[in-house]
Every structure is written in structure tokens, then in C-alpha cells.
Amino acid sequence: NEQGNAKMAVHTFNLLTKAHPQDALIPKAYYRAAQILHEKLMNTERAKKILTALISKYPDHEIANFARTYLKGI
């Protein structure tokens, strides 16, 4: 994403979440992917779906509150 390739960044996040579904950083990866989808790729609906899934699957994770707030704002 920092190199200007938002699509590749989201694709990479998807690959990482599938390859390492139990990794502790997966909720943060979902959150970041949703941000990129909304802010860079203008795919708000997909971002909302990811945030909703993140909140549902990881309701007590530290990033869940950020996801709730972000979801309300988009």
C-alpha cells in the first residue's frame, strides 16, 4: 500500500489471512484491508463486510472497537 499498489496490498492481506488463519495479527490485517478498500479503492461495501465479519469473529480483540467506530463512520 505504501508503494501505491492498493489492490496488491489487499490481495496480499487475503493471502496472509488464508495461509495463517490462527495468527494473532489476522484481525489487524482484516482492519487494514477494510481501510484500504474504503479509502483507496472506493469499495465501501466490501470494506463494510470485512469489518462486520471482523467484529463478529473477534468481538473481544483490541482492534474490534476501532472496527466498530470505523464501520459507523463509513
Side-chain angles (χ1 to χ4, degrees), residues 49-64:
K49 287 179 184 178
I50 290 171
L51 291 168
T52 301
L54 185 163
I55 294 164
S56 176
K57 190 169 182 177
Y58 306 98
D60 299 323
H61 192 276
E62 65 185 58
I63 202 75

Side-chain angles (χ1 to χ4, degrees), residues 4-5 14 19-20 23-24 29-30 32 37-38 43 47 49 51 53 55-59 62 67 71:
N5 195 340
N14 286 336
H20 306 283
D23 192 288
Y30 282 135
R32 188 66 184 122
L37 283 163
H38 173 66
N43 193 339
K49 287 179 184 178
L51 291 168
I55 294 164
S56 176
K57 190 169 182 177
Y58 306 98
E62 65 185 58
L71 183 58

Side-chain angles (χ1 to χ4, degrees), residues 24-51:
L25 295 176
I26 294 300
K28 290 181 180 181
Y30 282 135
Y31 181 75
R32 188 66 184 122
Q35 284 181 311
I36 294 168
L37 283 163
H38 173 66
E39 296 171 13
K40 303 279 184 169
L41 299 175
M42 308 308 165
N43 193 339
T44 301
E45 291 309 310
R46 187 166 171 211
K48 287 179 179 180
K49 287 179 184 178
I50 290 171
L51 291 168

Side-chain angles (χ1 to χ4, degrees), residues 31 34-35 38-39 51 65-74:
Y31 181 75
Q35 284 181 311
H38 173 66
E39 296 171 13
L51 291 168
N65 284 331
F66 291 100
R68 288 181 191 95
T69 301
Y70 193 76
L71 183 58
K72 287 178 187 175
I74 62 175

